[in-house]
């Protein structure tokens, strides 16, 4: 089955620094990738949608200059949290969509637990 | 409408009993509805989906029911097992937007 690899699984960074999270589709080409944020005991909130080779589309309320998304190839998307602050601490999850497979074509990474101290 | 972060409701069931998890969705234009299982510290895992023109679909030990009149979705798990303990989320897709939007979740705990 389709596999999405997300790294790192956990990261602790100092306030003011930047952190990069990678999302790779290992055995398929992802026409679209999505980034979600999840706070404890809450649902997944869509942050942005990225298509290979074009700018990401951000959801309302998500700062595009703070959460930089790069989708340079059909198998890799990165999310960079710039100038991180403690309130950015959260669980970040990526999803990659393989076209032509309907709902089954959305595969999720295992998530990244970001803690900003 | 947009999904709003809510604190998760909980459901506790005895091992071997059937579980019913409910979800209210917001968008009448959604093409598919999906149930995901999320274990602690992991990403969501696909369980079953149902197309918007259907009202019932069965899988292995799971059944999804869709009531478009009241915008309600349910997941039934037969003979619930300890390994079923997790958070269950409903989600909906509008294919033209290619976006998958999550609804509320439910924490399922299976008691021995």
């Amino acid at each position: 089955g389709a596999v999405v690899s997300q790294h790192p699984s956990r990261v602790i960074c100092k306030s003011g620094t930047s952190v990069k999270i990678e999302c790779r589709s290992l055995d398929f080409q992802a026409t679209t990738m999505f980034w979600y944020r999840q706070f404890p005991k809450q649902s997944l909130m869509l942050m942005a949608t990225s298509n290979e080779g074009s700018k990401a589309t951000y959801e309302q309320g998500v700062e595009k200059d703070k959460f930089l998304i790069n989708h340079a190839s059909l198998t890799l998307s990165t999310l960079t949290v710039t100038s991180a602050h403690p309130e950015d601490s959260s669980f970040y999850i990526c999803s990659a969509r393989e076209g032509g497979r309907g709902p089954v074509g959305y595969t999720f990474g295992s998530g990244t637990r970001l803690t900003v101290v | 409408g947009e999904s709003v972060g809510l604190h998760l409701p909980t459901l506790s069931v005895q091992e071997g009993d059937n579980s019913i998890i409910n979800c209210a969705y917001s968008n009448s234009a959604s093409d598919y509805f999906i149930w995901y299982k999320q274990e602690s510290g992991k990403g969501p895992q696909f369980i079953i989906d149902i197309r918007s023109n259907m009202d019932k679909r069965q899988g292995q030990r799971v059944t999804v029911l869709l009531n478009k009149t009241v915008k309600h979705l349910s997941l039934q798990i037969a003979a619930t097992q300890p390994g079923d303990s997790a958070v269950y989320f409903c989600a909906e897709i509008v294919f033209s937007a290619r976006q998958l939007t999550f609804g509320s979740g439910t924490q399922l705990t299976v008691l021995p």
Side-chain angles (χ1 to χ4, degrees), chain A residues 3-52:
Chain A
V3 177
V4 171
S5 174
Q6 186 174 341
H7 290 282
S9 58
R10 289 179 176 271
V11 58
I12 301 173
C13 71
K14 291 186 177 181
S15 188
T17 62
S18 295
V19 173
K20 181 185 284 189
I21 302 169
E22 287 191 353
C23 180
R24 292 181 185 269
S25 55
L26 297 187
D27 49 4
F28 66 97
Q29 292 187 327
T31 54
T32 311
M33 287 188 172
F34 307 88
W35 288 94
Y36 293 84
R37 182 173 182 175
Q38 185 178 31
F39 290 108
K41 297 193 181 302
Q42 292 192 16
S43 187
L44 284 76
M45 299 297 292
L46 180 66
M47 298 175 67
T49 301
S50 72
N51 293 292
E52 183 262 341

Side-chain angles (χ1 to χ4, degrees), chain A residues 34 36 38 41 43 59 106, chain B residues 6 8 38 98-100 103:
Chain A
F34 307 88
Y36 293 84
Q38 185 178 31
K41 297 193 181 302
S43 187
E59 295 300 299
Y106 291 76
Chain B
L6 299 171
L8 298 174
Q38 186 181 28
R98 296 182 179 176
Q99 284 185 354
L100 193 157

Side-chain angles (χ1 to χ4, degrees), chain B residues 3-78:
Chain B
S3 68
V4 178
L6 299 171
H7 290 278
L8 298 174
T10 59
L11 172 66
S12 296
V13 299
Q14 291 293 139
E15 181 178 354
D17 287 352
N18 297 334
S19 303
I20 300 176
I21 300 170
N22 298 301
C23 175
Y25 66 90
S26 57
N27 191 349
S28 300
S30 293
D31 298 296
Y32 271 91
F33 301 90
I34 308 133
W35 281 100
Y36 287 95
K37 174 185 181 182
Q38 186 181 28
E39 295 175 292
S40 181
K42 297 183 179 180
Q45 182 182 4
F46 176 92
I47 300 174
I48 190 169
D49 64 22
I50 186 167
R51 193 164 184 158
S52 59
N53 62 354
M54 300 171 64
D55 52 24
K56 181 179 181 179
R57 189 174 186 208
Q58 288 185 292
Q60 187 176 15
R61 275 202 313 120
V62 295
T63 301
V64 56
L65 299 177
L66 174 62
N67 185 331
K68 292 183 287 292
T69 303
V70 294
K71 294 184 182 178
H72 184 267
L73 193 66
S74 70
L75 176 70
Q76 300 177 4
I77 304 174

Side-chain angles (χ1 to χ4, degrees), chain A residues 53-112:
Chain A
S54 62
K55 290 184 178 180
T57 302
Y58 290 81
E59 295 300 299
Q60 191 173 7
V62 178
E63 299 175 58
K64 62 181 180 181
D65 293 331
K66 181 168 186 60
F67 298 100
L68 300 179
I69 292 171
N70 184 282
H71 192 161
S73 76
L74 285 172
T75 59
L76 174 65
S77 177
T78 60
L79 168 68
T80 301
V81 183
T82 62
S83 187
H85 291 283
E87 56 265 31
D88 298 323
S89 298
S90 190
F91 193 53
Y92 293 87
I93 304 170
C94 72
S95 174
R97 175 183 173 271
E98 184 178 11
R101 298 191 64 213
V104 181
Y106 291 76
T107 304
F108 289 82
S110 53
T112 297

